[in-house]
């Protein structure tokens, strides 16, 4: 049987695609070249949520990006220095890693995730 081997893209509507792409490059450091981004190897979680979840924030938001980061504390310091608000909640699953939530300029929720050694299978 053939199987899917990875995520080939993330596609979504934007009011100003060029400006939003620049924001992802400038603020989160995505190195997007000609609409392509080569990510570091690592775990990708695929998890449909119940339709009535409040995890994404506003109910009209149907999706949320989750980016892996190496050092969440340093990333949050960088984002706050840029004037962004980031939310961390201690009840978010520490066994899986550390999480923070931000929103892009168009209000789309973004989760930042520093995987734990446990979630990476190193424990």
């Amino acid at each position: 049987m053939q199987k899917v081997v990875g995520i080939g893209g993330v596609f979504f509507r934007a009011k100003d695609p060029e400006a939003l792409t620049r924001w992802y490059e400038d603020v989160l450091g995505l190195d997007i070249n000609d609409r392509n981004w080569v990510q570091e190897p690592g775990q990708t979680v695929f998890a449909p949520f119940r339709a009535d979840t409040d995890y994404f924030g506003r109910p009209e938001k149907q999706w949320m990006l989750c980016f892996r980061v190496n050092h969440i504390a340093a990333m949050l310091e960088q984002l706050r220095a840029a004037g962004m608000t980031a939310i961390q909640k201690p009840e978010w699953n520490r066994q899986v890693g550390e999480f923070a939530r931000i929103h892009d300029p168009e209000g789309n929720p973004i989760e930042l995730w520093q995987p734990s050694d446990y979630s990476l299978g190193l424990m």
Side-chain angles (χ1 to χ4, degrees):
M1 174 181 159
Q2 293 296 307
K3 64 179 184 172
V4 172
V5 296
I7 293 176
V10 176
F11 309 103
F12 57 98
R13 293 180 173 94
K15 295 173 189 157
D16 188 341
E18 292 78 19
L20 198 54
T21 297
R22 280 191 306 278
W23 182 87
Y24 278 89
E25 291 174 325
D26 296 345
V27 175
L28 295 182
L30 271 71
D31 187 10
I32 302 169
N33 184 6
D34 194 27
R35 295 177 58 157
N36 290 297
W37 169 49
V38 177
Q39 62 179 318
E40 293 180 12
Q43 182 178 9
T44 299
V45 175
F46 182 85
F49 281 69
R50 293 184 48 87
D52 61 352
T53 185
D54 61 356
Y55 193 71
F56 301 171
R58 298 190 333 240
E60 69 273 12
K61 295 299 180 182
Q62 297 297 310
W63 58 272
M64 178 177 63
L65 293 171
C66 177
F67 291 117
R68 279 181 281 114
V69 299
N70 290 325
H71 304 285
I72 200 161
M75 174 64 87
L76 292 174
E77 186 176 310
Q78 174 183 305
L79 293 170
R80 289 180 180 127
M84 294 196 61
T85 301
I87 300 167
Q88 282 188 291
K89 294 186 177 181
E91 66 270 18
W92 289 348
N93 192 342
R94 290 275 205 218
Q95 186 174 11
V96 175
E98 293 189 51
F99 296 89
R101 179 76 47 81
I102 62 171
H103 292 84
D104 74 16
E106 295 195 6
N108 298 308
I110 299 168
E111 190 165 75
L112 302 173
W113 171 38
Q114 179 182 327
S116 69
D117 287 346
Y118 175 83
S119 69
L120 295 173
L122 301 175
M123 292 183 72

